[in-house]
Amino acid sequence: MRILIANDDGIYSPGIATLARVAMRFGDVRVVAPDVEQSSAGHAITSSRPLTYRRTKVIDGVESYRVNGTPADCVALGAYNWDKVDIVLSGINLGPNLGNATWHSGTLAAAKQAALLGFRGIALSTPVVGDDPDVSHLEPHVERVLELLLPDESLRLVNVNFPPKPTEIRWTRQAVEQYDGTVVPATDPKGRPIFWFTVFPLEQHAEGTDLWAIQHGFVSVTPLELDLTDHDALARAQARVPDPTGPKLAAEVR
């Protein structure tokens, strides 16, 4: 199995080193990651300038490259430069990717880019404390999750979150009841207005969601899909108005 590993924290993140060490037990591993942190980059791709792909020695026994681009760029270039990639692992992100935060997650974007390219993608994240986080204690839990997910080819895109002290694994759904982002106004030293975009913890989490699982010390495993269509709303709309354009407009289009 060829396992391509990316992230949004950058090539020198301790999280990506931990993930690579575990992934080596399951197949051939190559790391392709941003040269600088790209947290909250979402699914941005670089189209206005060329990208570089430079070999970098950061993890013993693992061929690694750094890219001056986004997490999605890294997956695209990694797959281009390494034939027959089987799966992309993204992370381990130094910070959770839960609920609606998954919309702007660069970590999840790398896994989504894999799915868009026809590969499987798994994003892995964990909350951290301090400026020098060590996530090596998660290695046995990461191994358990990969043992669960890698053999199941029906799982094309998965979001995994580890609590600081994991216990059991739970299948979960994405929490979408509320967004925890907010704008905080402030001023710079010259009195000019500035704004911080930040998040505050939500207090209530619906049972069975990813947020609920992490709150209770469970590893959250959430299968996702790329299709954003609201199929229930589509069916209701088609039942009310089967052809909203009408035959006249359809004839004009032809």
Side-chain angles (χ1 to χ4, degrees):
M1 174 177 284
R2 286 193 166 187
I3 304 172
L4 177 64
I5 297 181
N7 72 353
D8 73 355
D9 286 324
I11 189 76
Y12 301 107
S13 168
I16 204 169
T18 295
L19 181 56
R21 284 194 297 269
V22 177
M24 290 171 66
R25 304 167 195 171
F26 295 89
D28 297 328
V29 172
R30 181 178 290 188
V31 168
V32 181
D35 56 1
V36 296
E37 184 178 352
Q38 294 280 335
S39 294
S40 298
H43 208 123
I45 58 173
T46 302
S47 59
S48 59
R49 58 177 174 81
L51 296 170
T52 58
Y53 185 80
R54 294 173 176 163
R55 186 144 186 185
T56 305
K57 183 176 175 60
V58 290
I59 303 166
D60 290 340
V62 177
E63 192 172 333
S64 304
Y65 297 84
R66 69 183 191 273
V67 175
N68 61 334
T70 67
D73 292 334
C74 292
V75 173
L77 284 181
Y80 177 82
N81 286 290
W82 198 26
D83 290 338
K84 299 179 181 178
V85 171
D86 293 297
I87 194 165
V88 173
L89 305 181
S90 180
I92 300 170
N93 189 64
L94 304 182
N97 281 302
L98 300 161
N100 283 317
T102 57
W103 285 96
H104 53 71
S105 166
T107 304
L108 191 58
K112 289 190 296 180
Q113 181 71 11
L116 286 171
L117 293 174
F119 313 125
R120 298 168 61 198
I122 302 174
L124 305 99
S125 307
T126 188
V128 295
V129 178
D131 296 329
D132 190 21
D134 180 6
V135 296
S136 59
H137 68 284
L138 292 177
E139 285 194 20
H141 305 285
V142 174
E143 184 173 16
R144 285 174 57 203
V145 166
L146 294 184
E147 287 174 344
L148 172 69
L149 298 180
L150 291 184
D152 191 345
E153 295 189 0
S154 68
L155 297 171
R156 307 301 299 176
L157 178 61
V158 184
N159 186 32
V160 180
N161 281 267
F162 300 90
K165 297 180 179 180
T167 56
E168 302 173 10
I169 297 174
R170 289 288 186 272
W171 295 106
T172 59
R173 63 177 176 86
Q174 180 187 4
V176 294
E177 288 78 9
Q178 184 179 352
Y179 185 58
D180 54 354
T182 187
V183 174
V184 179
T187 57
D188 69 9
K190 294 186 177 181
R192 295 171 296 196
I194 57 175
F195 302 89
W196 289 97
F197 189 79
T198 188
V199 295
F200 291 105
L202 299 176
E203 295 182 359
Q204 300 295 327
H205 307 307
E207 184 172 350
T209 64
D210 49 9
L211 287 166
W212 170 87
I214 295 300
Q215 184 183 44
H216 288 80
F218 301 132
V219 178
S220 168
V221 180
T222 309
L224 303 173
E225 60 181 12
L226 295 176
D227 186 358
L228 297 178
T229 306
D230 185 335
H231 290 279
D232 290 339
L234 175 61
R236 291 193 300 270
Q238 290 175 327
R240 291 195 306 270
V241 186
D243 185 1
T245 61
K248 180 180 179 180
L249 181 57
E252 292 174 352
V253 170
R254 289 196 298 270

